Amino acid sequence: MCAYVLVAEDEPRQAELIGRFLARENHSFLLVDDGRKALDEIRGRRPDLLVLDLMLPGVDGWDVCRAVRSEDADLPVLVISARAEADDKLLGFDLGADDYLAKPYDPRELMARVRALLRRSGTTGTPARRALRVGELELEPMRHEVRVAGRLVACTPAEFRILAVLAAEPGRVFSRAQLLEDAYGLDGFITERTIDVHVRNLRRKIEADPAAPAYLLTVYGIGYKISDGSGRGR
């Protein structure tokens, strides 16, 4: 299935290269060179994927990511940036990015990540259909909805995938490596440390007290598990 990809990149050669590779895989795309244009396009014609450079003129990529996540939790966001430090990557994930690729990069790797994000978001492939319920936590994969005690919770695609893996087997302990493999497959490119960032963001959204979680529990030295909400952990 072809997708519509919005590319926010102010370096003309980089933007042209990305567009050329997207065209090879029969995706439609739009190239914009500043953050304000990107936000206007997203609000006017929602893309299936946003490829976002952080160092944009006007409204920079950080602010674009913040704005996107405040308005559209489901839109997959692939950040590309010359800022390759671990703290920059983690901040990108903390703001809601689903993947982060440092410049310079191999365009073939970029396209592999594009394919992975589109597949995980359900734009390509067949998404999971079974509704999941753990205590008062409910997941509806077909509608990409999460509810806690009936309250709708906005989750990014990456957060939803991790939560779905855990909720499919309540009580089972998953290592960070298992979550990477089960939620993202062999074409996942994020690191184990990034799982912790997603878990922290999920706790802010689904827990009454993120410091004493009732659902998303840490099993020290191993990883994470989902509980029915009746207990407390860390």
Side-chain angles (χ1 to χ4, degrees):
M1 184 184 297
C2 299
Y4 169 49
V5 181
L6 177 62
V7 179
E9 168 62 79
D10 67 327
E11 297 180 17
R13 290 184 180 179
Q14 289 289 327
E16 181 183 355
L17 181 64
I18 295 170
R20 189 159 64 244
F21 272 78
L22 288 170
R24 287 182 184 179
E25 299 198 7
N26 296 317
H27 296 305
S28 62
F29 62 91
L30 177 69
L31 308 177
V32 296
D33 58 7
D34 69 56
R36 177 54 58 192
K37 292 178 183 176
L39 289 174
D40 288 344
E41 177 65 16
I42 291 167
R43 290 161 180 162
R45 180 191 175 193
R46 184 188 186 277
D48 296 307
L49 171 69
L50 171 62
V51 178
L52 176 66
D53 181 26
L54 289 180
M55 306 307 290
L56 293 172
V59 179
D60 66 22
W62 302 110
D63 287 336
V64 171
C65 201
R66 287 188 187 93
V68 167
R69 283 299 171 240
S70 70
E71 300 173 14
D72 188 342
D74 296 343
L75 175 61
V77 178
L78 168 57
V79 165
I80 52 176
S81 176
R83 302 180 64 154
E85 296 298 321
D87 286 346
D88 291 316
K89 293 181 180 181
L90 290 173
L91 178 57
F93 286 118
D94 208 25
L95 292 176
D98 296 287
D99 202 351
Y100 192 114
L101 181 60
K103 296 180 179 180
Y105 54 81
D106 185 330
R108 294 171 298 179
E109 182 179 354
L110 172 70
M111 293 310 303
R113 297 190 185 209
V114 166
R115 288 192 296 271
L117 281 174
L118 290 174
R119 184 159 53 248
R120 296 198 301 263
S121 69
T123 303
T124 59
T126 303
R129 296 176 180 272
R130 182 168 63 94
L132 302 169
R133 184 183 180 101
V134 183
E136 293 188 313
L137 177 66
E138 301 173 87
L139 284 78
E140 288 283 353
M142 290 299 294
R143 295 198 293 268
H144 197 275
E145 289 183 354
V146 176
R147 295 179 184 273
V148 179
R151 174 177 60 88
L152 187 63
V153 177
C155 291
T156 70
E159 292 166 358
F160 189 92
R161 291 286 294 186
I162 291 170
L163 199 57
V165 168
L166 292 167
E169 298 186 64
R172 176 185 169 183
V173 181
F174 288 81
S175 69
R176 291 167 180 80
Q178 286 174 320
L179 287 173
L180 284 174
E181 181 177 352
D182 290 348
Y184 295 102
L186 297 178
D187 52 1
F189 292 90
I190 64 174
T191 66
E192 290 186 20
R193 189 179 174 193
T194 305
I195 292 292
D196 296 332
V197 176
H198 289 314
V199 167
R200 184 171 69 245
N201 287 339
L202 281 167
R203 283 174 172 163
R204 291 171 183 164
K205 297 176 179 181
I206 70 172
E207 302 286 0
D209 181 1
Y215 289 104
L216 191 45
L217 307 183
T218 300
V219 179
Y220 288 104
I222 304 178
Y224 298 101
K225 69 176 181 179
I226 278 283
S227 174
D228 64 4
S230 62
R232 287 291 185 270
R234 294 187 66 83

